Amino acid sequence: MQQTVNGMPATELEGAAWRKSRRSSMGNCVELAPLPDGAVAVRNSRHPDGPALVYTRDEMAAFLQGAKDGEFDDMVG
């Protein structure tokens, strides 16, 4: 099994099915890909060959719940 680490080139995540939000506009978004071990990889859509950050399912769940709860709204407001 391939070892995934933070900062590895996104192109090295073999078989990653990247997807972005339907709300994405003008290429300014992040893309996510589920990995075979249950982790989730994140990359900048403007730099698809650049580094990927890899998070556990629990880390992603905590982030998404925080986003839904508005905990990060002040960063874009």
Side-chain angles (χ1 to χ4, degrees), residues 4-7 15 20 22 27 32-33 38 43 46-48 50 53 56 59 62 65 67-68 70 75:
T4 57
V5 295
N6 279 320
K20 57 186 169 184
R22 290 185 309 257
L32 289 89
R43 72 178 180 183
R46 288 176 287 161
H47 305 285
L53 297 177
T56 66
E59 289 168 332
Q65 190 59 53
K68 288 177 185 178
M75 294 188 186

Side-chain angles (χ1 to χ4, degrees), residues 4-77:
T4 57
V5 295
N6 279 320
M8 70 185 300
T11 54
E12 290 183 19
L13 293 170
E14 297 173 16
W18 295 97
R19 65 184 196 212
K20 57 186 169 184
S21 170
R22 290 185 309 257
R23 295 178 184 244
S24 171
S25 64
M26 298 173 49
N28 295 322
C29 61
V30 295
E31 295 176 313
L32 289 89
L35 301 177
D37 65 357
V40 177
V42 180
R43 72 178 180 183
N44 184 327
S45 66
R46 288 176 287 161
H47 305 285
D49 296 334
L53 297 177
V54 180
Y55 298 97
T56 66
R57 291 180 69 81
D58 288 342
E59 289 168 332
M60 285 303 298
F63 172 75
L64 292 173
Q65 190 59 53
K68 288 177 185 178
D69 291 344
E71 293 179 19
F72 309 110
D73 289 357
D74 62 312
M75 294 188 186
V76 294

